Amino acid sequence: MTRDLLLGIFQAVLSIVAAPLLLGWVDQCRAWLQNRRGAGVLQPYRVLRKLMQKDAVVAYGASPLFRASPYVQFGAMCLAAAIIPIVSVTAPLAASADTIALVGLFALARVFIALAGMDIGTAFGSLGARREMLVGFLSEPALLMVFFTASLICQSTLLPTIVDTLAHRELVIYPSLAFAGVAFTMVLLAENARIPIDNPTTHLELTMIHEAMVLEYSARHLALIEWAAALKLMNFTAIGLALFIPWGLTAATAGPSGLIVGIVTTALKLTAAGAVLALIETVSAKLRIFRAPEFLATAFLLAVLGLLVHQLLGS
Amino acid sequence: MSLPSALQAVFTLVVGWIVLGAAGLLLPRNLVWVSRVLFPLGALISAAIAAFAFIALPLPAEMATLPIGLPDLPMHLRLDALSAFFLILIGLTAAGISIYSAGYFRAGEGTAPGLLCLQYHVFLASMAMVVLADDAFCFMVSWETMALSSYFLVTTQHRVPEIRSAGFLYLLLAHVGAIGLLLCFGVLQGGSWQFTFDAMRQAALSPAWASVAFGLALFGFGTKAGLVPLHVWLPEAHPAAPSPVSALMSGVMLKTAIYGLIRISLDLIHTPQWIWGAVVLALGAFTGLFGAVFAAVQTDMKRLLAYSSIENIGLIFTGIGLTLLFRALGQDSLAALALAGTLYHALNHAQFKSLLFLATGSVLHATGQRNLGRLGGLIHRMPWVAGFALFGTLAMAGLPPLNGFVSEWLLLQAYLFTPSLPQGMVDMLVPLGAAAFALTVALAAYVLVKFYGVIFLGRAREAALEQAHDASLLERCGLTWLASTCVVLGLFPVVVLRALDHVNRLLLGAGLGSQAASWWALTPTSAARAAYSPLAFGSGIAIAVLAVFLFVRWLYHGRVRESAAWDCGFPAQTSRMQDTAEGFGQPIRRIFGPFFRIRRQVPSPFDAAPHYALDLSDRWWYWVYEPIGRAVKASANRIGVLQQGSIALYLLYSFVTLVALLAFVL
Amino acid sequence: MPTPSWASQLIHLGAALLLLSSFAMLSQRRILSLVNLFALQGAILSVSTAIVAHTTGATHLYASAALSLLLKVILLPWILHRLITRLNVRWDTETQLNIPTTMLVGILVVVFAFALAQPIAQLSSAVTRSTIGIALAVVLLSFLMMITRRKAISQVIGFLAMENGLFFAATSATYGMPMVVELGVALDVLVGTLILGVFFFQIREQFDSLDLQHLERLKED
């Protein structure tokens, strides 16, 4: 029991530490696709260290909410990393929170960062907050519907049970999961502020969503927010892999050797996923902000369609 | 001497409320008497009622008959698990609101304080009597008293014309609903002409008449609860009333309508039909989305909260619809899950909606502004109120680990079982209701970020806001009470679920069982199927935040400097550059355009004095209420022809009637 | 429920992909994407016909699969590409309703089709009879696409997609149509497309645009 707990905490800490590496890998793949050399996969770590060493500069009108918000966001993402089966099925808190609670946790992080964006009272902060809540308002139901489809197939909302059922299933292909997969990819792109919803490397404030909210942050606060964003990408990718490509996750009763296998397979899957994400980002163009609701409405309706297809076909 | 029964204790306390109210008339203009003595006593009575009701929950139902009432129908009272639960809701919420009111009401605002005390406590007493009533007469008398006393409370500042017309609209629609209820009771007695609820339970109605009764009950209670299209009074009346009264109306009065609908459909007509559940679910889903969309575009903070109440009532109605659906199709344990989620959400909504209305009351008192466009940055001047409002905002947005999330989680779990329903189209359409539910909940988070951000965060939009003062001690006590109930109900759902099990067993015959919740986690169906541990969430986030904070301080440093805001280097930043309430709601207005009736005046580039105006109104008013109003006026004009003013003509009318009656009878 | 055979699993997957592609057609603005989606639909159809041919041993279905491959994946998309290049249309930016509303109506149509198809599916004896609902949904969605578009080319593609849906219903639920009917339908579709292509040139000559609202001016006021 304690061994499981330690193993679970180890996997959570590993994913928290490795999250910037995934982000660095995605950026490196994007650079290669754009025929550049890129900054190397360890660049996010260098950025984090540089930011942590600086003095935090806070605007005159900031409230305690502004200073507390990065910590809350990072804490929420760490908690999510402890719930999602990233390497092994027995994440430490996986039995205390199901997928719906996970969606609520992401909503908590989003509300806090949006409130922090409105805190200083600048035009861009509230612009970013408004757009972030718009994206969240449409992507959260889509995510819930994807989880619903998976839960209907597996008769449970707990992620370990879902992963176990899907990994040992007899049907090779679930058509409703095909819809859910497309919808989930679209939601992943939207929630993590990737192209085509938001450009993570843009410098034009009027096109920003996530960056506009965090314009006033600096030093360790900004470092925590960047890390939380990387962790969110890691969490979402892990959820996607757990739902759609669940083979290879360490089973509940495996020992340390099973954990090694789990780590290796997860690393391979994340590498492939990062490369695919970079490819999607390179071939797509960023949407105008008012095309974003259409994009997300498509994701939502696809997820609902997956639910209906499950009802009709029984799979 | 034996201990008094719970029902006797509760009834005595309710009478105590009325006595307190009458005591206010002794010194009607003395503010200290009313606010330092009477209102706190009223709060104590509320807490005591909640405590006695909690004790009475697991006990079998108690009945009593009062010596007053009609000649052959004295008033019957009944305290069973459902009544006890709603008494807990009323008592818990009213305690916090009464303490707040003690600090809130100041002299010189319309009605005298003593009169206000009478109206307030009669309102509370009548709501408790509605929940305790066991026959139609007692129910209708209490219902009417509730409507009348709340009308007087709404029109406290009766010198303002808008408030008078809002009160009139409220009273009108309350009575239209009451007519529906009277007719419903008339159908329910099923030929026995006995109007006690016991007789109605025994009456065996045919499915057609049962549907008629249910339809009338839905109409009557839907008017009081604010179901679309009967909701038009809510956004007018709730902002017009003083804030504690708005809190009481939104938080508690709307729940008596929920009580009534549950009592009639699950207790008096104990075999619901599945089509009722489907209709209620569809209406509830539409109401929820409608309320959320309208709340997102409001510019008045109390109207925003009123529309948000409509949204939550819609969610509660979807829960009732699910319960009826499961019950009608024979899945009693699933119906128990849905009913538990519904009642839990009613309790939660009472807490956080009252908390937010009271916070707006403090803001209104401090700044004199209800318009969101003139507020901002109040977290610096009013830190206590902002802190409590943050709790309310997070709770209402349905974020873990507070209470709003628990009830939404339970309802979503109930939705997950709907694809296995044995009825043909239902198993495909009801999951779509889950999609609408998720959409409404997500939009609620949007609305609340707007509410909190525009009022408390950012910079002050008016210079006068620098004079804002924080809430007084009594107001803070009331806010603390409600915020702590939000936290406790969120972290320890086991208490509520065990209580709700008694209600489930009473109404449905099946409960969720004791394995449904433990002090650590919530596992309503089975631990392998679904689990949520609010304590794990709360402690997990707290531990993670603390660990990160200490780690960063240890590894690096905690130095902070203050400087001007960056804002990408724009030099001249004023407070008017941040989002207004309309600006924040603009995406929703664009996406959900067809929901509104938009009148927009956009300046042209050639205007010497450009002017922008936006007016968003409710289409239902123009589709339903204006035509009815015109028809009533037209027919009244026609009938008015009879009134010529000549005495000879009136005498002629009497003569003709007398002659006709004589001819007819003889 | 016993595990269905790999063949019926593949057909279910094909049905889901067909529904996905017709939904994607509903939300696309670029005409080139519409043609590519149509080619994808044709590919799915020919693969599923081949699978049905393999499981039932009906060799004429192989010929049918080859015919749909030739026609729907190669010939018709080529004709449409040529039309698009010569008429110089790229985008169909104006739709009658906005895209989210169209998709919402699409979902309602799908629910309706599923509900309608359930009793009909009981009449068939094939294992994959539940795909009738999906086929019906594809037909109705393509009809919806035809209604909500303004450019004539999109309407032609919608018409062709409808035929795809009907074809899928035939193969999956009744294991194919008689060969004569098949050939006749294929010929109709080909000739129809050619004639419509000629029409488009005439329309473009007359109005200098392929926007259909110009055709409304033809009525006498």
Side-chain angles (χ1 to χ4, degrees), chain B residues 603-619:
Chain B
S604 90
F606 309 106
D607 250 326
H611 185 71
Y612 175 80
L614 177 69
D615 175 52
L616 291 168
S617 49
D618 192 349
R619 282 193 195 274

PDB file of all heavy atoms in Angstrom, chain B residues 603-619:
ATOM      1  N   PRO B 603     -22.611  54.868 -33.360  1.00  0.00           N
ATOM      2  CA  PRO B 603     -22.265  56.184 -33.910  1.00  0.00           C
ATOM      3  C   PRO B 603     -21.665  56.063 -35.302  1.00  0.00           C
ATOM      4  O   PRO B 603     -20.982  55.090 -35.596  1.00  0.00           O
ATOM      5  CB  PRO B 603     -21.256  56.746 -32.921  1.00  0.00           C
ATOM      6  CG  PRO B 603     -20.669  55.551 -32.299  1.00  0.00           C
ATOM      7  CD  PRO B 603     -21.735  54.510 -32.247  1.00  0.00           C
ATOM      8  N   SER B 604     -21.924  57.035 -36.132  1.00  0.00           N
ATOM      9  CA  SER B 604     -21.314  57.044 -37.458  1.00  0.00           C
ATOM     10  C   SER B 604     -20.077  57.931 -37.415  1.00  0.00           C
ATOM     11  O   SER B 604     -19.965  58.801 -36.549  1.00  0.00           O
ATOM     12  CB  SER B 604     -22.310  57.560 -38.495  1.00  0.00           C
ATOM     13  OG  SER B 604     -22.191  58.968 -38.614  1.00  0.00           O
ATOM     14  N   PRO B 605     -19.156  57.723 -38.366  1.00  0.00           N
ATOM     15  CA  PRO B 605     -17.931  58.532 -38.324  1.00  0.00           C
ATOM     16  C   PRO B 605     -18.178  60.019 -38.554  1.00  0.00           C
ATOM     17  O   PRO B 605     -17.316  60.834 -38.289  1.00  0.00           O
ATOM     18  CB  PRO B 605     -17.092  57.951 -39.464  1.00  0.00           C
ATOM     19  CG  PRO B 605     -17.691  56.638 -39.759  1.00  0.00           C
ATOM     20  CD  PRO B 605     -19.126  56.707 -39.396  1.00  0.00           C
ATOM     21  N   PHE B 606     -19.363  60.364 -39.052  1.00  0.00           N
ATOM     22  CA  PHE B 606     -19.618  61.769 -39.378  1.00  0.00           C
ATOM     23  C   PHE B 606     -20.374  62.493 -38.277  1.00  0.00           C
ATOM     24  O   PHE B 606     -20.782  63.616 -38.447  1.00  0.00           O
ATOM     25  CB  PHE B 606     -20.420  61.856 -40.682  1.00  0.00           C
ATOM     26  CG  PHE B 606     -19.791  61.042 -41.777  1.00  0.00           C
ATOM     27  CD1 PHE B 606     -20.354  59.838 -42.177  1.00  0.00           C
ATOM     28  CD2 PHE B 606     -18.613  61.449 -42.356  1.00  0.00           C
ATOM     29  CE1 PHE B 606     -19.763  59.069 -43.161  1.00  0.00           C
ATOM     30  CE2 PHE B 606     -18.013  60.680 -43.341  1.00  0.00           C
ATOM     31  CZ  PHE B 606     -18.581  59.502 -43.748  1.00  0.00           C
ATOM     32  N   ASP B 607     -20.559  61.807 -37.140  1.00  0.00           N
ATOM     33  CA  ASP B 607     -21.296  62.411 -36.030  1.00  0.00           C
ATOM     34  C   ASP B 607     -20.436  63.439 -35.325  1.00  0.00           C
ATOM     35  O   ASP B 607     -19.283  63.166 -34.983  1.00  0.00           O
ATOM     36  CB  ASP B 607     -21.628  61.325 -35.003  1.00  0.00           C
ATOM     37  CG  ASP B 607     -23.101  61.032 -34.991  1.00  0.00           C
ATOM     38  OD1 ASP B 607     -23.884  61.966 -35.205  1.00  0.00           O
ATOM     39  OD2 ASP B 607     -23.443  59.875 -34.785  1.00  0.00           O
ATOM     40  N   ALA B 608     -21.019  64.575 -35.043  1.00  0.00           N
ATOM     41  CA  ALA B 608     -20.270  65.569 -34.268  1.00  0.00           C
ATOM     42  C   ALA B 608     -20.257  65.187 -32.804  1.00  0.00           C
ATOM     43  O   ALA B 608     -19.284  65.430 -32.095  1.00  0.00           O
ATOM     44  CB  ALA B 608     -20.910  66.940 -34.457  1.00  0.00           C
ATOM     45  N   ALA B 609     -21.362  64.584 -32.313  1.00  0.00           N
ATOM     46  CA  ALA B 609     -21.438  64.145 -30.910  1.00  0.00           C
ATOM     47  C   ALA B 609     -21.819  62.674 -30.919  1.00  0.00           C
ATOM     48  O   ALA B 609     -22.993  62.337 -30.776  1.00  0.00           O
ATOM     49  CB  ALA B 609     -22.471  64.990 -30.171  1.00  0.00           C
ATOM     50  N   PRO B 610     -20.856  61.782 -31.094  1.00  0.00           N
ATOM     51  CA  PRO B 610     -21.202  60.360 -31.235  1.00  0.00           C
ATOM     52  C   PRO B 610     -21.800  59.792 -29.958  1.00  0.00           C
ATOM     53  O   PRO B 610     -21.409  60.159 -28.862  1.00  0.00           O
ATOM     54  CB  PRO B 610     -19.868  59.703 -31.563  1.00  0.00           C
ATOM     55  CG  PRO B 610     -18.844  60.653 -31.111  1.00  0.00           C
ATOM     56  CD  PRO B 610     -19.433  62.019 -31.189  1.00  0.00           C
ATOM     57  N   HIS B 611     -22.731  58.922 -30.162  1.00  0.00           N
ATOM     58  CA  HIS B 611     -23.466  58.371 -29.044  1.00  0.00           C
ATOM     59  C   HIS B 611     -23.676  56.891 -29.293  1.00  0.00           C
ATOM     60  O   HIS B 611     -24.071  56.501 -30.375  1.00  0.00           O
ATOM     61  CB  HIS B 611     -24.812  59.085 -28.951  1.00  0.00           C
ATOM     62  CG  HIS B 611     -25.612  58.676 -27.767  1.00  0.00           C
ATOM     63  ND1 HIS B 611     -25.281  59.026 -26.486  1.00  0.00           N
ATOM     64  CD2 HIS B 611     -26.734  57.939 -27.672  1.00  0.00           C
ATOM     65  CE1 HIS B 611     -26.169  58.508 -25.658  1.00  0.00           C
ATOM     66  NE2 HIS B 611     -27.059  57.850 -26.350  1.00  0.00           N
ATOM     67  N   TYR B 612     -23.373  56.059 -28.286  1.00  0.00           N
ATOM     68  CA  TYR B 612     -23.553  54.618 -28.429  1.00  0.00           C
ATOM     69  C   TYR B 612     -24.575  54.167 -27.396  1.00  0.00           C
ATOM     70  O   TYR B 612     -24.480  54.528 -26.236  1.00  0.00           O
ATOM     71  CB  TYR B 612     -22.219  53.894 -28.197  1.00  0.00           C
ATOM     72  CG  TYR B 612     -22.344  52.389 -28.198  1.00  0.00           C
ATOM     73  CD1 TYR B 612     -22.414  51.677 -29.387  1.00  0.00           C
ATOM     74  CD2 TYR B 612     -22.406  51.690 -27.007  1.00  0.00           C
ATOM     75  CE1 TYR B 612     -22.532  50.306 -29.382  1.00  0.00           C
ATOM     76  CE2 TYR B 612     -22.525  50.322 -26.994  1.00  0.00           C
ATOM     77  CZ  TYR B 612     -22.586  49.636 -28.188  1.00  0.00           C
ATOM     78  OH  TYR B 612     -22.709  48.280 -28.183  1.00  0.00           O
ATOM     79  N   ALA B 613     -25.545  53.396 -27.836  1.00  0.00           N
ATOM     80  CA  ALA B 613     -26.533  52.894 -26.880  1.00  0.00           C
ATOM     81  C   ALA B 613     -26.857  51.458 -27.216  1.00  0.00           C
ATOM     82  O   ALA B 613     -26.935  51.077 -28.375  1.00  0.00           O
ATOM     83  CB  ALA B 613     -27.800  53.744 -26.932  1.00  0.00           C
ATOM     84  N   LEU B 614     -27.040  50.664 -26.196  1.00  0.00           N
ATOM     85  CA  LEU B 614     -27.376  49.253 -26.391  1.00  0.00           C
ATOM     86  C   LEU B 614     -28.482  48.900 -25.422  1.00  0.00           C
ATOM     87  O   LEU B 614     -28.383  49.176 -24.236  1.00  0.00           O
ATOM     88  CB  LEU B 614     -26.144  48.396 -26.096  1.00  0.00           C
ATOM     89  CG  LEU B 614     -26.357  46.897 -26.176  1.00  0.00           C
ATOM     90  CD1 LEU B 614     -26.590  46.489 -27.603  1.00  0.00           C
ATOM     91  CD2 LEU B 614     -25.150  46.170 -25.636  1.00  0.00           C
ATOM     92  N   ASP B 615     -29.534  48.314 -25.963  1.00  0.00           N
ATOM     93  CA  ASP B 615     -30.623  47.901 -25.094  1.00  0.00           C
ATOM     94  C   ASP B 615     -30.955  46.448 -25.399  1.00  0.00           C
ATOM     95  O   ASP B 615     -31.296  46.105 -26.525  1.00  0.00           O
ATOM     96  CB  ASP B 615     -31.851  48.783 -25.350  1.00  0.00           C
ATOM     97  CG  ASP B 615     -33.035  48.319 -24.551  1.00  0.00           C
ATOM     98  OD1 ASP B 615     -32.886  48.157 -23.336  1.00  0.00           O
ATOM     99  OD2 ASP B 615     -34.086  48.096 -25.151  1.00  0.00           O
ATOM    100  N   LEU B 616     -30.815  45.593 -24.395  1.00  0.00           N
ATOM    101  CA  LEU B 616     -31.101  44.176 -24.590  1.00  0.00           C
ATOM    102  C   LEU B 616     -32.329  43.840 -23.791  1.00  0.00           C
ATOM    103  O   LEU B 616     -32.347  44.043 -22.586  1.00  0.00           O
ATOM    104  CB  LEU B 616     -29.944  43.335 -24.058  1.00  0.00           C
ATOM    105  CG  LEU B 616     -28.657  43.413 -24.833  1.00  0.00           C
ATOM    106  CD1 LEU B 616     -27.561  42.777 -24.022  1.00  0.00           C
ATOM    107  CD2 LEU B 616     -28.792  42.672 -26.122  1.00  0.00           C
ATOM    108  N   SER B 617     -33.355  43.369 -24.451  1.00  0.00           N
ATOM    109  CA  SER B 617     -34.516  42.998 -23.652  1.00  0.00           C
ATOM    110  C   SER B 617     -34.946  41.591 -23.982  1.00  0.00           C
ATOM    111  O   SER B 617     -34.480  40.961 -24.927  1.00  0.00           O
ATOM    112  CB  SER B 617     -35.630  44.006 -23.851  1.00  0.00           C
ATOM    113  OG  SER B 617     -35.820  44.231 -25.212  1.00  0.00           O
ATOM    114  N   ASP B 618     -35.888  41.132 -23.229  1.00  0.00           N
ATOM    115  CA  ASP B 618     -36.320  39.750 -23.213  1.00  0.00           C
ATOM    116  C   ASP B 618     -37.402  39.581 -24.264  1.00  0.00           C
ATOM    117  O   ASP B 618     -38.406  40.282 -24.228  1.00  0.00           O
ATOM    118  CB  ASP B 618     -36.882  39.493 -21.813  1.00  0.00           C
ATOM    119  CG  ASP B 618     -37.101  38.046 -21.547  1.00  0.00           C
ATOM    120  OD1 ASP B 618     -37.032  37.255 -22.472  1.00  0.00           O
ATOM    121  OD2 ASP B 618     -37.343  37.735 -20.372  1.00  0.00           O
ATOM    122  N   ARG B 619     -37.229  38.651 -25.169  1.00  0.00           N
ATOM    123  CA  ARG B 619     -38.233  38.470 -26.206  1.00  0.00           C
ATOM    124  C   ARG B 619     -39.550  37.965 -25.648  1.00  0.00           C
ATOM    125  O   ARG B 619     -40.605  38.235 -26.220  1.00  0.00           O
ATOM    126  CB  ARG B 619     -37.746  37.453 -27.228  1.00  0.00           C
ATOM    127  CG  ARG B 619     -36.763  38.000 -28.188  1.00  0.00           C
ATOM    128  CD  ARG B 619     -36.594  37.017 -29.317  1.00  0.00           C
ATOM    129  NE  ARG B 619     -35.422  37.310 -30.098  1.00  0.00           N
ATOM    130  CZ  ARG B 619     -35.421  38.170 -31.110  1.00  0.00           C
ATOM    131  NH1 ARG B 619     -36.522  38.791 -31.447  1.00  0.00           N
ATOM    132  NH2 ARG B 619     -34.326  38.398 -31.771  1.00  0.00           N
TER     133      ARG B 619
END
